[in-house]
Amino acid sequence: MNRYLPTPSPNPPMDAVPFWDWCRKRELRFQQCGACGRHRHPPAPVCRFCGSDQVKWDPAPDEAELFSYTIVHNAVTEALKSYVPYNIAVVGFPSLQVRLISNIIDMPPSSLRIGMPLRLTWQECDDGTPLPLFLGEKS
Ligand SMILES: [Zn+2]
Protein backbone atom coordinates (compact mmCIF):
# COMPACT_ATOMS: atom_id res chain seq x y z
CA MET A 1 0.00 0.00 0.00
CA ASN A 2 1.25 3.46 -0.81
CA ARG A 3 1.64 5.82 2.09
CA TYR A 4 -0.97 8.48 2.62
CA LEU A 5 1.81 11.03 3.27
CA PRO A 6 5.60 10.83 3.44
CA THR A 7 6.27 10.04 7.09
CA PRO A 8 9.51 10.53 8.96
CA SER A 9 10.19 8.29 11.91
CA PRO A 10 8.61 9.37 15.18
CA ASN A 11 10.94 11.16 17.57
CA PRO A 12 8.70 11.30 20.61
CA PRO A 13 9.22 13.14 23.85
CA MET A 14 9.90 10.79 26.81
CA ASP A 15 6.25 10.66 27.91
CA ALA A 16 5.20 9.40 24.47
CA VAL A 17 7.82 6.63 24.12
CA PRO A 18 5.42 3.93 25.47
CA PHE A 19 2.72 5.11 23.03
CA TRP A 20 5.07 4.40 20.12
CA ASP A 21 6.26 1.14 21.69
CA TRP A 22 2.62 -0.04 21.60
CA CYS A 23 2.27 1.22 18.02
CA ARG A 24 5.25 -0.94 17.02
CA LYS A 25 3.09 -3.88 18.16
CA ARG A 26 0.20 -2.43 16.09
CA GLU A 27 -1.73 -1.71 19.24
CA LEU A 28 -3.26 1.71 19.74
CA ARG A 29 -3.32 2.46 23.45
CA PHE A 30 -3.97 5.55 25.51
CA GLN A 31 -2.79 6.48 28.97
CA GLN A 32 -5.29 5.81 31.75
CA CYS A 33 -4.82 7.32 35.19
CA GLY A 34 -4.20 4.63 37.79
CA ALA A 35 -5.91 6.75 40.46
CA CYS A 36 -9.04 8.33 38.92
CA GLY A 37 -9.33 6.11 35.83
CA ARG A 38 -9.61 8.90 33.28
CA HIS A 39 -7.87 8.61 29.91
CA ARG A 40 -5.60 11.20 28.37
CA HIS A 41 -3.80 11.93 25.12
CA PRO A 42 -1.21 13.13 24.25
CA PRO A 43 0.76 11.28 26.91
CA ALA A 44 1.70 13.28 30.00
CA PRO A 45 3.67 12.46 33.16
CA VAL A 46 0.76 13.28 35.51
CA CYS A 47 -3.03 13.21 35.32
CA ARG A 48 -4.46 16.66 34.60
CA PHE A 49 -7.60 15.74 36.53
CA CYS A 50 -6.17 14.47 39.83
CA GLY A 51 -2.38 14.97 39.62
CA SER A 52 -1.53 11.29 40.03
CA ASP A 53 1.54 9.89 38.30
CA GLN A 54 0.12 6.33 38.29
CA VAL A 55 -0.52 5.25 34.75
CA LYS A 56 -1.48 2.24 32.69
CA TRP A 57 -1.89 1.87 28.92
CA ASP A 58 -5.42 0.96 27.93
CA PRO A 59 -6.30 -0.43 24.47
CA ALA A 60 -8.26 1.95 22.26
CA PRO A 61 -11.84 0.89 21.61
CA ASP A 62 -12.92 -0.11 18.12
CA GLU A 63 -15.36 2.78 18.00
CA ALA A 64 -13.82 6.00 16.71
CA GLU A 65 -15.35 8.96 14.95
CA LEU A 66 -14.30 12.02 13.01
CA PHE A 67 -14.36 14.82 15.58
CA SER A 68 -12.93 17.49 13.27
CA TYR A 69 -10.67 17.88 10.26
CA THR A 70 -9.03 20.30 7.91
CA ILE A 71 -8.09 19.94 4.26
CA VAL A 72 -4.60 21.06 3.29
CA HIS A 73 -4.54 22.58 -0.20
CA ASN A 74 -1.17 24.34 -0.11
CA ALA A 75 1.86 22.15 0.45
CA VAL A 76 4.16 23.62 3.08
CA THR A 77 7.15 21.70 1.73
CA GLU A 78 8.21 20.48 -1.68
CA ALA A 79 7.86 16.87 -0.47
CA LEU A 80 4.12 17.32 0.08
CA LYS A 81 3.30 18.97 -3.27
CA SER A 82 2.09 15.79 -4.92
CA TYR A 83 -0.14 14.89 -1.95
CA VAL A 84 -2.45 17.93 -1.79
CA PRO A 85 -5.27 18.09 -1.08
CA TYR A 86 -4.97 15.88 2.01
CA ASN A 87 -6.74 15.83 5.33
CA ILE A 88 -5.55 16.24 8.88
CA ALA A 89 -8.15 14.66 11.12
CA VAL A 90 -8.99 14.86 14.80
CA VAL A 91 -10.19 11.35 15.61
CA GLY A 92 -12.38 11.08 18.67
CA PHE A 93 -12.83 8.10 20.96
CA PRO A 94 -16.03 9.16 22.74
CA SER A 95 -16.04 6.33 25.28
CA LEU A 96 -12.58 7.40 26.53
CA GLN A 97 -12.98 11.13 25.89
CA VAL A 98 -9.62 11.30 24.10
CA ARG A 99 -8.72 12.53 20.62
CA LEU A 100 -5.86 11.66 18.28
CA ILE A 101 -4.48 13.68 15.35
CA SER A 102 -4.26 11.43 12.30
CA ASN A 103 -5.43 11.11 8.68
CA ILE A 104 -8.39 9.47 6.95
CA ILE A 105 -6.60 7.69 4.13
CA ASP A 106 -9.32 6.24 1.91
CA MET A 107 -11.71 9.09 1.22
CA PRO A 108 -11.70 12.27 -0.87
CA PRO A 109 -12.12 15.51 1.10
CA SER A 110 -15.71 15.95 -0.11
CA SER A 111 -16.74 12.66 1.55
CA LEU A 112 -15.56 13.54 5.06
CA ARG A 113 -18.30 14.28 7.57
CA ILE A 114 -18.02 15.28 11.22
CA GLY A 115 -19.17 12.37 13.37
CA MET A 116 -18.61 9.71 10.73
CA PRO A 117 -17.47 6.35 12.09
CA LEU A 118 -13.81 5.49 11.53
CA ARG A 119 -11.81 2.30 11.61
CA LEU A 120 -8.16 2.03 12.63
CA THR A 121 -5.54 0.87 10.14
CA TRP A 122 -1.74 1.06 10.08
CA GLN A 123 0.90 2.32 7.63
CA GLU A 124 4.61 2.20 8.28
CA CYS A 125 6.86 5.23 8.79
CA ASP A 126 10.29 5.46 7.17
CA ASP A 127 11.84 3.32 9.93
CA GLY A 128 9.05 0.73 9.79
CA THR A 129 7.17 2.01 12.83
CA PRO A 130 3.45 1.46 12.24
CA LEU A 131 1.52 4.74 12.22
CA PRO A 132 -2.15 4.70 13.34
CA LEU A 133 -4.32 6.00 10.49
CA PHE A 134 -8.03 5.66 9.78
CA LEU A 135 -10.49 4.43 7.20
CA GLY A 136 -13.85 6.07 6.78
CA GLU A 137 -16.96 3.97 6.99
CA LYS A 138 -18.66 4.52 3.65
CA SER A 139 -22.44 4.87 3.82
ZN1 LIG B 1 -6.33 10.96 37.54
Side-chain angles (χ1 to χ4, degrees):
M1 176 188 271
N2 291 332
R3 290 182 187 161
Y4 185 70
L5 293 172
T7 310
S9 303
N11 185 17
M14 281 300 291
D15 298 325
V17 167
F19 175 84
W20 288 105
D21 288 343
W22 284 111
C23 285
R24 286 186 189 88
K25 299 173 186 172
R26 293 183 182 251
E27 288 190 44
L28 181 60
R29 293 190 180 223
F30 294 111
Q31 280 186 323
Q32 181 179 24
C33 177
C36 74
R38 290 178 161 145
H39 293 82
R40 60 182 184 257
H41 189 80
V46 296
C47 176
R48 67 184 162 104
F49 301 104
C50 74
S52 172
D53 64 355
Q54 298 174 46
V55 67
K56 68 177 197 172
W57 289 86
D58 198 28
D62 292 334
E63 298 79 29
E65 66 181 30
L66 184 55
F67 178 81
S68 186
Y69 67 95
T70 190
I71 305 299
V72 178
H73 293 276
N74 299 305
V76 294
T77 69
E78 194 68 30
L80 292 172
K81 268 195 171 170
S82 64
Y83 294 89
V84 293
Y86 62 87
N87 69 73
I88 298 173
V90 181
V91 177
F93 293 85
S95 64
L96 303 185
Q97 297 189 324
V98 295
R99 297 176 189 136
L100 175 71
I101 305 296
S102 185
N103 308 106
I104 315 303
I105 63 170
D106 66 336
M107 302 188 98
S110 61
S111 296
L112 299 177
R113 298 285 181 266
I114 300 296
M116 69 186 299
L118 301 173
R119 187 165 47 90
L120 175 66
T121 189
W122 299 92
Q123 284 187 7
E124 294 183 353
C125 299
D126 292 346
D127 72 349
T129 301
L131 185 67
L133 300 173
F134 289 85
L135 304 171
E137 297 281 326
K138 297 178 177 80
S139 57

